[in-house]
Amino acid sequence: MITTVQQHILREQQALPEAQGTFSWLLSGITLATKMIQARVRRAGLEDVLGAMGETNVQGEEQQKLDVFANQALLDSLSVRDGVAILVSEENEEPVMFDRAKDTGRYVIFFDPLDGSSNIDVNVSVGTIFSIYRRPEGLENDAPGAVLQPGYKQVAAGYVVYGSSAILVYTAGRGVYGFTLDPSIGAYVLSYDNMKMPAQGKYYSVNEANADAFPAAYREYLAQLRRGDLGKEYSSRYVGSLVADFHRTLLKGGVFLYPPTKSHPGGKLRLMYEANPLAFIAEQAGGMATNGRERILDLQPNSIHQRTPFVIGSKVEMEAFARRTEAVEANADVWAPAI
Ligand code: AHM
Ligand code: MG
């Protein structure tokens, strides 16, 4: 007997008596949008051929860029759900606010509609990431207060990786579950029950072209992994789509790092759309996530688009990272980009 994501969410919701169906209605908005996005991603090469021939799509519109399409699909399918109070997208400068009664519009949703979009043209996996918070009581008219919440307050988070199949992974704080889209029935079906990250993996994942600029703490840690100090011979993998790199880390273990660099001294990845949701999933699966010095989920955001250094992975690698960085902490320079 298969379990669809919809059935799974309904079951989860029974454990959240105050959710009253809103939560599943809201998640169904997200799954619908991701099915639309994956259909477009699958046609990406074709659309280019048609676009190059000067053809327009069936609605007679010019071909839209995929990231614009993905953003619009999420905005459209979520804005009609009255549980949504505020939508915050990596693609929109400002949050989109809805005028909903305070006991109806109870959720604030963040999303990165199409992560890794530079990989589309070369047929490499991309993804969608989402993160859900409650709108805090008393802050209905206070947008900054309602959106700038630390990651530990997330009620649910997840992503879809559009890879060799489309896989949805989510947590509502009671374990991590993975669902594979079965194209023959158009439904996400449970394929990974109660996912756990291996305690140690054999891959590290980082853009090594930036290595000369990494702060010393990171360079020394990577050297440790290469030397085999953790009792394993590490290999490296780097897709350049965070969702794909994280998905591998979740399944196989290991560590992903995006340290401060010369061009991004504060880190490149976004706290609210990328680091927080993946950190929530990692912790639920037995892993850890930090900005180099503090737990990601404890960080108090000061802007919706803020960036952060990001290190996420298995327990063994993350504990070794913490030991390494504590050991060099005395020297403040180890945290500055090197060049
Ligand atoms: P994007 O939002 O422009 O797609 O950038 C985010 C992506 C992540 O998916 C990925 O981890 C990272 O950028 C790769 O960056 P780089 O090319 O600097 O290694
Ligand atoms: Mg992104």
Side-chain angles (χ1 to χ4, degrees):
M1 185 58 192
I2 60 164
T3 304
T4 66
V5 68
Q6 215 51 42
Q7 291 166 327
H8 196 268
I9 291 165
L10 285 171
R11 227 176 284 156
E12 283 267 295
Q13 198 171 247
Q14 284 163 6
L16 296 168
E18 89 286 16
Q20 301 160 354
T22 319
F23 193 58
S24 66
W25 178 229
L26 190 149
L27 278 164
S28 78
I30 294 176
T31 56
L32 172 64
T34 65
K35 286 181 204 172
M36 292 162 61
I37 297 167
Q38 78 85 33
R40 278 294 282 262
V41 168
R42 301 277 175 245
R43 285 182 54 83
L46 282 172
E47 309 251 339
D48 282 350
V49 175
L50 299 178
M53 290 162 66
E55 291 194 14
T56 49
N57 65 15
V58 278
Q59 281 86 28
E61 296 160 345
E62 289 289 314
Q63 301 295 343
Q64 231 176 3
K65 286 193 64 164
L66 256 163
D67 40 7
V68 178
F69 175 86
N71 191 37
Q72 204 56 48
L74 280 153
L75 289 172
D76 287 349
S77 58
L78 286 169
S79 57
V80 294
R81 277 144 166 90
D82 34 327
V84 176
I86 306 176
L87 293 174
V88 196
S89 166
E90 200 198 298
E91 295 282 331
N92 293 108
E93 199 146 324
E94 298 292 333
V96 182
M97 318 274 296
F98 298 92
D99 190 14
R100 303 258 153 82
K102 72 170 187 221
D103 46 352
T104 317
R106 288 185 304 150
Y107 294 98
V108 179
I109 308 182
F110 286 80
F111 50 84
D112 180 355
L114 204 64
D115 175 65
S117 43
S118 68
N119 272 327
I120 294 235
D121 291 346
V122 290
N123 218 9
V124 170
S125 300
V126 290
T128 296
I129 314 175
F130 62 90
S131 162
I132 305 178
Y133 294 80
R134 282 198 184 80
R135 177 165 66 166
E137 276 189 42
L139 290 179
E140 287 79 14
N141 300 315
D142 172 8
V147 295
L148 296 177
Q149 302 189 53
Y152 70 83
K153 294 203 168 161
Q154 289 170 103
V155 289
Y159 62 83
V160 174
V161 55
Y162 310 106
S164 42
S165 47
I167 295 189
L168 167 75
V169 172
Y170 95 102
T171 183
R174 292 159 24 92
V176 180
Y177 298 88
F179 302 80
T180 304
L181 183 65
D182 180 344
S184 64
I185 56 170
Y188 285 105
V189 296
L190 183 64
S191 46
Y192 298 90
D193 200 4
N194 199 13
M195 300 172 87
K196 292 288 170 209
M197 204 183 265
Q200 185 175 9
K202 60 173 184 176
Y203 298 124
Y204 71 76
S205 186
V206 67
N207 186 340
E208 274 187 313
N210 297 322
D212 291 345
F214 292 164
Y218 288 85
R219 281 185 282 134
E220 289 178 21
Y221 172 68
L222 291 168
Q224 252 188 340
L225 296 182
R226 283 193 296 269
R227 276 200 307 267
D229 291 7
L230 268 56
K232 284 217 177 181
E233 290 205 4
Y234 279 83
S235 189
S236 90
R237 293 281 186 278
Y238 191 71
V239 178
S241 285
L242 177 63
V243 177
D245 280 315
F246 177 74
H247 190 63
R248 181 196 56 252
T249 308
L250 176 63
L251 293 178
K252 304 283 187 194
V255 58
F256 170 92
L257 309 96
Y258 208 111
T261 62
K262 194 179 171 198
S263 57
H264 293 106
K268 177 185 178 192
L269 299 175
R270 310 283 183 164
L271 176 63
M272 305 305 283
Y273 315 101
E274 294 170 326
N276 271 337
L278 300 187
F280 188 20
I281 293 169
E283 288 197 3
Q284 284 288 314
M288 297 160 76
T290 152
N291 68 353
R293 315 178 99 164
E294 283 171 86
R295 178 182 177 232
I296 288 286
L297 296 181
D298 283 338
L299 299 173
Q300 173 58 50
N302 47 43
S303 111
I304 56 173
H305 294 300
Q306 109 185 41
R307 298 174 192 266
T308 177
F310 191 41
V311 185
I312 187 165
S314 295
K315 192 163 180 286
V316 169
E317 282 87 347
M318 293 303 291
E319 285 174 353
F321 179 78
R323 280 197 302 276
R324 186 70 228 146
T325 50
E326 270 161 31
V328 289
E329 182 95 16
N331 175 1
D333 290 345
V334 297
W335 293 105
I339 49 176

